[in-house]
Amino acid sequence: MNLKQILLLSLALFCFVWASKAAKVDTLNIPSRSMAKEIKTVVILPKGYSANTKYPVLYLLHGYSGNYSNWVKNTTVASLADQYGYMVVCPDGGFGSWYWDSANDRNYQYETFVSKELVDYIDQHYMTVKDRKGRAITGLSMGGHGALSLAIKHQDLYGAAGSTAGGVDFRPFPLNWEIKDRIGNYADVPQAWDDRVVINMIPKLLNNKLRLMIDCGKEDFFYTVNVALHDKLMYHNINHTFVTSEGGHNWAYWSRSIIYQMAFFNEFFNQPEKK
């Protein structure tokens, strides 16, 4: 065997070993009884995933018009899962579901799917920490709204929640993103809108019940409502992390923000729950 062959063999061996230690990324079809269909979901297992260990799980939601594959394709989320050693689950939330259950449309039962059917499936099929201390949820834009609203509604299920560039108050945008198709026109049913915006859910929070991280770029059209959310959390004495930096409503910003978000959740997973 000559030197060139040895080098090629060594390179092949290195690539095999590296790949065997890298995160495992699977795309599953997870059944939803509430919607009578299967929902595509990406599951990221960190390197070294073992049946002898229980792993925390971050549920990571996409934005309006996106899908289950967005986070894996556009960011380093799989490498970050390796770095921190916890699972990441990215469900499909529909084109414009806002992660709500719709009373009039069986195809839109995404609160039930994400916070009941999906969590149950992941806990049944993987080695997870089956407790709120081992569950967090975050997302971008529509998914930021979804993550915070689901966490506030299900504080027994999630121990931490986040949002990046979240649509935490969509009332300034009454004609956008199919919201009126889900819950009606703002002019006709203002209470339905008021009840669903995250900023109006703050009184339901107890201080330190949920670990919270909110971020938004300064050039983002949701920046003003995120600052308003931060101010209201401060007014109600709810501890949280609030981060702003340069950036707009795009993957250039979100690919940076997920680095800080996942570090935040890693800290949560590795600290005892506050009493």
Side-chain angles (χ1 to χ4, degrees):
M1 183 177 292
N2 60 36
L3 179 59
K4 183 178 180 179
Q5 290 174 317
I6 293 173
L7 290 174
L8 288 173
L9 180 60
S10 299
L11 178 60
L13 180 60
F14 170 80
C15 291
F16 172 78
V17 172
W18 180 86
S20 68
K21 293 183 177 180
K24 182 181 180 184
V25 180
D26 289 329
T27 299
L28 309 179
N29 292 310
I30 296 181
S32 169
R33 293 186 63 184
S34 64
M35 293 186 278
K37 60 183 179 182
E38 294 183 331
I39 306 298
K40 285 191 176 297
T41 300
V42 165
V43 176
I44 305 171
L45 303 178
K47 63 184 178 183
Y49 175 84
S50 168
N52 298 317
T53 302
K54 293 185 178 180
Y55 296 86
V57 183
L58 172 64
Y59 291 88
L60 185 55
L61 309 182
H62 66 76
Y64 173 78
S65 78
N67 62 52
Y68 62 95
S69 69
N70 288 165
W71 279 108
V72 170
K73 289 181 178 179
N74 294 297
T75 73
T76 59
V77 63
S79 297
L80 291 166
D82 276 347
Q83 179 179 339
Y84 293 121
Y86 58 78
M87 290 176 55
V88 179
V89 175
C90 306
D92 198 286
F95 191 89
S97 74
W98 287 83
Y99 299 94
W100 293 322
D101 282 354
S102 174
N104 302 316
D105 192 340
R106 189 177 183 182
N107 287 314
Y108 287 89
Q109 304 296 314
Y110 283 93
E111 177 179 348
T112 293
F113 175 70
V114 173
S115 290
K116 173 59 178 174
E117 295 168 334
L118 177 62
V119 170
D120 286 350
Y121 183 95
I122 296 299
D123 281 350
Q124 290 168 11
H125 291 82
Y126 295 93
M127 298 301 296
T128 63
V129 177
K130 297 174 176 59
D131 185 89
R132 67 187 303 276
K133 293 188 293 293
R135 290 194 203 98
I137 186 168
T138 191
L140 69 88
S141 194
M142 178 184 83
H145 154 84
L148 292 176
S149 63
L150 291 176
I152 293 170
K153 291 178 182 179
H154 302 278
Q155 294 179 55
D156 59 326
L157 193 66
Y158 306 103
S163 167
T164 180
V168 296
D169 187 351
F170 40 76
R171 292 172 298 180
F173 314 93
L175 301 179
N176 293 32
W177 311 305
E178 300 182 15
I179 298 171
K180 62 184 178 61
D181 297 334
R182 304 281 84 79
I183 58 177
N185 289 308
Y186 184 31
D188 297 331
V189 286
Q191 193 63 49
W193 287 60
D194 291 344
D195 290 345
R196 285 171 172 81
V197 293
V198 169
I199 199 168
N200 285 345
M201 297 180 181
I202 300 309
K204 298 178 181 179
L205 283 169
L206 296 175
N207 194 29
N208 294 326
K209 179 69 172 178
L210 278 172
R211 289 285 302 279
L212 296 171
M213 180 178 183
I214 300 153
D215 71 72
C216 192
K218 293 180 180 178
E219 288 77 50
D220 196 301
F221 50 77
F222 281 141
Y223 178 70
T224 299
V225 297
N226 275 272
V227 171
L229 177 65
H230 163 62
D231 290 342
K232 191 164 186 177
L233 287 165
M234 293 285 288
Y235 177 81
H236 285 274
N237 295 313
I238 302 298
N239 290 332
H240 63 288
T241 297
F242 179 58
V243 178
T244 65
S245 65
E246 301 304 315
H249 202 79
N250 52 48
W251 283 106
Y253 177 82
W254 302 324
S255 62
R256 297 196 312 270
S257 71
I258 192 61
I259 297 171
Y260 303 109
Q261 290 253 341
M262 288 189 65
F264 175 86
F265 294 119
N266 182 63
E267 182 183 12
F268 164 73
F269 289 142
N270 286 284
Q271 287 186 352
E273 186 178 27
K274 291 183 178 181
K275 301 298 184 181

